Amino acid sequence: MQLMPNFTKKALCLSLFLLAFPTFASEPEERVGLVLGGGGAKGLAHIGVLLYLEEHRIPVDFVVGTSMGAIAGGLYAQGHSAASLEELVLTVNWQNVFTDQAPRAYRSIRRKEEDRLYPTQALVGFSDGEFKFPSGLIQGQRLMPLLREFSIRGRELTHFDNLPLPFRATAVDIETGELLVIEDGDLALAMRASMAIPGIFSPVHWHNRYLVDGGMVNNLPVDLAQEMNATRIIAVDVGEDFPSFEELQGPLEVMEQAINLMIRNNSQQQVALLNENDVHIVPQLLSLDIGAADFGKAELAIRAGYEAAEQASEQLLPLQVSPEQWANYRRSLSVNAQPLIPRWFRIENSADVPDQMLWANIATESGRLLDPETLNDDVERIYGLGYFDQVDYQIMWEDDVPGIELRATPRSWGPDYLGFGLTFEENFDRQSNYRAAVSYLKTQVNDYGAELQFDLQIGNEPVIRAQYWQPLRQDASTYTNTRLKLNRVRINNTAQGQTRFLTEIDRQTLGFDIGTHWRHTADVRLSLDFSTGTYQENFSTVPEQSFQTGSLGIRVNFDSLDSVFLPTQGTLVSLQHKWFHETLGSDENFQQLSIQGLGAATSGNHTLVLGGEFATTLNGEAPIYQRHQLGGFMRLSGYERNALSGQHSVFGQAVYLHRLEASRQFGTLPVYLGIALEAGNVWQTNEDVKLSDLTYSTSVLGVVTTPVGALYLGLSQNSDSRNSAYLAIGRPF
């Protein structure tokens, strides 16, 4: 028998020793992926699921989201707690988030002046003889600042694997139908792209692609979680329930149901990929009547998500970790917001308006500590110029140096527009007043951003107007405005409560302004006006008379009101002095001074509006066609429009409005009940002016603010024994 070498003996002994013990295959490390599906407001239920996971110390290793799930998931992946997300969605004003109209306080002085003269309720693009429309009902201008505010800033966070929790969002290329998985780049914009519901939100321009809601192709991306090596998946599906046919109201809901069913089909394919260890959570939202647009039901949706997670507790609780492990996990997710000092600031302006016009509205300075509120104000002011679909910014690092890039995307449906407006006032007795207007606005006429505008108004006060607005500097801080206007007004001259005679005035005016303004709030201008016209007292029987005026004027305006229809915040102050003189071609020599003030403040459901106006004629007597007028709803209610005419006038008002709490729900129109107190009068001579002669008026009001202006219902009585019921819509306050 041949003996084995010594080495062979040792090797054999070692092999026998190892075989004597069982071997264990090392199991893969547990990796829990959280998948959050799309569903609009139904996706708020995701926050309830997150609350349950946090309350029961159940960690996840990464998050994948689509549409609303991408927003909830993207914010959670950045380290925001479920409680902070709950506070956000319960306190945010969803009505404001889903509107693109720039707050009036941020609109340019030019736009503010127009909406007092010719309230425009509808605007469409009209260029090269064709109508143009936005690519979505909502551009997302008010949504992006919200996402920016809650997005962490850091140069190392360009790839979403570097977030506190790795994250992926999905979106669809609207041109090819290709599903894109977004894993790096601008996180806030990625969340916005994933929820760009076609036709509702405009597509997002992303690396030469136009992206829409990822739910159109994959509303519950389970397969993506599997590709990210999840050993267990928690999938939250908020698109499961659908109403019966009997519950569908009208063709729009039937169409919405059909689209949702198509989306549901791709979700079911994803659900089929789940294995027995995975958790499929389906909040019961249909029974709570929560639909994709019911953001006002956030609290109910969150509760439904929590309860659905609770029902899956048998599968979820085995994932629970110890209090110490949970504390370590939460610490790993926390991100301390570091103060940021941007060292550079640049503008990417794709519109044909000068960059200097944008710079003039920026208060944020490089080299100073970043104030997000100031930066958001800058964005709002630039958007309020009226030239852009969207104005957004991004914090960026270039060569390890932080800075801000502000991007202004021009309106896809500009640069020329048609505007339409309607105001109506009915007192159910002696007079109905209406004004229907159409306006053509051509912007970006030259390199300085000049504008050409034509207006046509029909009704009780017909107007034809043309004007050419020309900035003198590229920042538009100084400007000229050349005006031509033809108009007709009728004045009811009243004394002792009775109509004494009627006057019809036809006027043609050529005017020229030179002025300066500051950040959409203050404006000072000098004006030169030349008018000719005719007037006719008791115009059906008395021959008409001609007149001519020439005047030099100065006007100072401060306007921060949030609305011309129903102001709830802000101030309007206007001071104007005009000199009429024969050397300017005027038939009479006189001066006129007018001062107007209006202020509004709101606390909770309570709004108080105070206003006053004083107008006088100096150094002469104004002819009948140039006198100050009062009368009409909220202008000394009880009297007809322009019923009082004189050399001097005084008017004051105090209005209290209470907003009904039920009208605060998302999707409902604001409704107010209130009372208005007014006092005023006109006089023909200085000697006649006596406060004891004031006429007082009291009105009970009901107001609904609609997309076409405020709808007023009022019952008025004044001290001259004139009573009226009013219906008014679209009129300035």
Side-chain angles (χ1 to χ4, degrees):
M1 179 177 171
Q2 187 178 4
L3 298 177
M4 291 183 292
N6 188 45
F7 174 78
T8 304
K9 291 181 180 179
K10 290 181 179 180
L12 179 61
C13 290
L14 180 60
S15 299
L16 292 173
F17 176 79
L18 292 173
L19 289 172
F21 293 89
T23 59
F24 299 93
S26 60
E27 296 183 2
E29 183 180 351
E30 184 86 300
R31 183 169 168 81
V32 178
L34 177 63
V35 178
L36 304 178
K42 296 188 289 185
L44 298 175
H46 295 317
I47 297 174
V49 175
L50 294 174
L51 285 169
Y52 179 89
L53 296 180
E54 291 194 349
E55 183 178 317
H56 293 83
R57 305 191 306 277
I58 299 171
V60 298
D61 295 290
F62 66 85
V63 185
V64 175
T66 291
S67 193
M68 195 64 188
I71 290 189
L75 294 175
Y76 191 69
Q78 294 178 73
H80 295 290
S81 68
S84 68
L85 296 183
E86 179 184 31
E87 181 182 7
L88 168 64
V89 301
L90 292 180
T91 56
V92 71
N93 187 329
W94 290 106
Q95 204 85 28
N96 286 346
V97 168
F98 294 127
T99 183
D100 285 320
Q101 189 175 40
R104 187 176 182 278
Y106 292 102
R107 293 182 215 163
S108 68
I109 284 287
R110 177 164 162 73
R111 301 282 97 88
K112 289 179 180 179
E113 182 180 23
E114 287 172 357
D115 63 18
R116 291 193 67 82
L117 293 174
Y118 302 96
T120 299
Q121 291 96 357
L123 190 70
V124 298
F126 186 76
S127 302
D128 302 321
E130 296 182 353
F131 286 99
K132 296 182 178 181
F133 301 92
S135 57
L137 296 176
I138 302 171
Q139 303 301 312
Q141 177 60 32
R142 311 298 293 281
L143 175 61
M144 281 307 299
L146 184 68
L147 297 178
R148 294 287 183 204
E149 181 182 352
F150 285 85
S151 293
I152 55 181
R153 309 180 184 105
R155 58 187 172 189
E156 73 278 7
L157 297 179
T158 55
H159 197 284
F160 299 166
D161 279 345
N162 297 327
L163 291 167
L165 283 175
F167 170 69
R168 299 291 186 272
T170 66
V172 174
D173 187 324
I174 191 63
E175 295 179 326
T176 66
E178 178 185 357
L179 181 70
L180 272 70
V181 177
I182 306 178
E183 60 182 14
D184 58 12
D186 186 341
L187 177 57
L189 196 61
M191 291 188 286
R192 161 71 175 83
S194 186
M195 71 158 295
I197 304 169
I200 304 299
F201 284 93
S202 63
V204 169
H205 190 217
W206 181 279
H207 302 302
N208 297 321
R209 293 175 180 258
Y210 289 92
L211 304 185
V212 296
D213 196 315
M216 306 305 297
V217 173
N218 190 345
N219 201 44
L220 191 69
V222 171
D223 55 351
L224 180 55
Q226 292 174 338
E227 292 173 10
M228 295 178 69
N229 300 319
T231 60
R232 187 170 299 192
I233 293 173
I234 302 173
V236 185
D237 187 355
V238 295
E240 180 75 26
D241 291 341
F242 298 98
S244 65
F245 180 78
E246 290 75 14
E247 295 175 288
L248 299 176
Q249 299 179 2
L252 291 180
E253 290 196 4
V254 172
M255 184 171 62
E256 180 186 1
Q257 176 101 325
I259 295 172
N260 289 337
L261 287 172
M262 288 189 289
I263 295 174
R264 182 62 197 154
N265 286 337
N266 72 58
S267 295
Q268 289 175 334
Q269 295 171 8
Q270 295 295 310
V271 171
L273 299 176
L274 296 171
N275 61 46
E276 60 183 9
N277 292 324
D278 297 328
V279 186
H280 184 209
I281 298 175
V282 183
Q284 299 302 305
L285 301 167
L286 181 61
S287 60
L288 299 173
D289 194 29
I290 299 175
D294 290 322
F295 287 89
K297 299 179 181 179
E299 189 171 1
L300 286 176
I302 292 171
R303 187 188 312 157
Y306 185 93
E307 292 173 354
E310 199 169 37
Q311 291 173 4
S313 60
E314 187 175 337
Q315 293 173 281
L316 290 173
L317 288 179
L319 301 174
Q320 188 178 63
V321 298
S322 68
E324 182 180 358
Q325 290 173 309
W326 178 256
N328 291 334
Y329 172 76
R330 285 305 308 170
R331 275 195 296 270
S332 71
L333 300 185
S334 63
V335 176
N336 295 323
Q338 299 295 326
L340 179 71
I341 300 178
R343 298 299 177 182
W344 52 268
F345 197 127
R346 70 166 173 255
I347 291 176
E348 293 293 331
N349 171 25
S350 304
D352 292 329
V353 294
D355 288 352
Q356 290 89 331
M357 192 180 294
L358 279 61
W359 281 114
N361 291 285
I362 294 175
T364 301
E365 299 180 25
S366 59
R368 293 181 176 272
L369 186 67
L370 177 64
D371 180 3
E373 185 175 345
T374 300
L375 182 55
N376 284 333
D377 286 345
D378 297 341
V379 168
E380 291 279 24
R381 278 192 295 268
I382 293 173
Y383 185 71
L385 293 171
Y387 305 127
F388 304 103
D389 261 344
Q390 189 155 33
V391 180
D392 188 23
Y393 69 89
Q394 184 180 2
I395 308 297
M396 305 175 70
W397 272 257
E398 293 185 353
D399 299 326
D400 293 333
V401 178
I404 299 171
E405 181 176 273
L406 188 144
R407 307 179 189 117
T409 305
R411 281 179 172 172
S412 59
W413 47 291
D416 307 333
Y417 309 94
L418 280 178
F420 303 90
L422 175 68
T423 65
F424 178 80
E425 183 179 317
E426 170 65 63
N427 68 3
F428 302 103
D429 185 12
R430 296 171 296 276
Q431 189 179 44
S432 296
N433 284 282
Y434 80 94
R435 294 184 296 163
V438 60
S439 175
Y440 172 72
L441 173 64
K442 184 176 183 60
T443 68
Q444 304 173 34
V445 172
N446 57 31
D447 291 341
Y448 279 71
E451 295 182 1
L452 180 64
Q453 184 169 347
F454 299 94
D455 303 300
L456 172 65
Q457 178 177 290
I458 61 174
N460 297 75
E461 299 176 3
V463 175
I464 299 175
R465 182 181 73 157
Q467 61 175 328
Y468 181 75
W469 181 77
Q470 174 64 62
L472 298 178
R473 296 165 52 96
Q474 288 199 324
D475 62 4
S477 58
T478 58
Y479 62 88
T480 63
N481 190 36
T482 304
R483 300 171 279 109
L484 177 65
K485 179 180 178 182
L486 292 78
N487 70 304
R488 172 182 295 166
V489 296
R490 290 180 178 177
I491 301 172
N492 300 310
N493 296 273
T494 304
Q496 280 96 39
Q498 300 296 321
T499 299
R500 191 172 61 185
F501 59 90
L502 303 177
T503 303
E504 182 177 83
I505 303 170
D506 287 301
R507 188 191 307 260
Q508 302 84 43
T509 302
L510 176 64
F512 179 80
D513 306 320
I514 183 169
T516 183
H517 63 83
W518 185 80
R519 285 191 183 163
H520 301 203
T521 304
D523 177 82
V524 180
R525 71 182 65 175
L526 294 173
S527 300
L528 186 62
D529 289 273
F530 303 96
S531 297
T532 61
T534 60
Y535 67 96
Q536 191 174 20
E537 297 180 5
N538 290 330
F539 55 87
S540 60
T541 59
V542 178
E544 67 180 20
Q545 301 180 59
S546 62
F547 68 87
Q548 186 170 303
T549 66
S551 65
L552 178 67
I554 182 171
R555 192 178 77 174
V556 179
N557 251 20
F558 179 89
D559 188 351
S560 63
L561 290 179
D562 62 346
S563 171
V564 295
F565 300 117
L566 179 61
T568 60
Q569 297 286 347
T571 303
L572 168 68
V573 177
S574 180
L575 170 65
Q576 181 170 277
H577 195 157
K578 300 187 76 172
W579 292 265
F580 294 82
H581 201 273
E582 295 173 353
T583 57
L584 297 174
S586 184
D587 292 336
E588 306 285 345
N589 294 334
F590 60 96
Q591 299 178 32
Q592 288 188 320
L593 172 68
S594 63
I595 302 172
Q596 180 186 8
L598 187 67
T602 296
S603 176
N605 290 328
H606 308 281
T607 295
L608 180 64
V609 183
L610 299 177
E613 182 178 321
F614 168 75
T616 186
T617 303
L618 306 170
N619 299 331
E621 183 174 322
I624 192 169
Y625 48 81
Q626 201 63 47
R627 293 174 185 171
H628 308 293
Q629 285 100 37
L630 277 179
F633 182 52
M634 305 296 285
R635 288 276 299 167
L636 211 54
S637 301
Y639 280 105
E640 299 174 11
R641 181 176 173 84
N642 295 336
L644 304 177
S645 174
Q647 303 289 335
H648 315 282
S649 68
V650 170
F651 175 73
Q653 64 182 168
V655 182
Y656 168 75
L657 295 168
H658 175 78
R659 182 171 179 177
L660 302 185
E661 185 64 34
S663 71
R664 287 194 173 276
Q665 296 181 10
F666 177 75
T668 60
L669 297 175
V671 179
Y672 299 83
L673 296 178
I675 186 171
L677 305 177
E678 304 164 64
N681 209 341
V682 299
W683 298 272
Q684 302 305 325
T685 66
N686 290 326
E687 292 75 17
D688 293 335
V689 177
K690 296 178 182 177
L691 293 181
S692 59
D693 287 340
L694 290 178
T695 296
Y696 298 91
S697 175
T698 303
S699 301
V700 178
L701 305 173
V703 190
V704 181
T705 58
T706 75
V708 295
L711 171 66
Y712 287 85
L713 290 172
L715 294 174
S716 304
Q717 181 178 26
N718 67 31
S719 57
D720 289 338
S721 302
R722 298 175 72 92
N723 307 322
S724 289
Y726 288 98
L727 169 65
I729 188 168
R731 62 177 299 281
F733 194 84

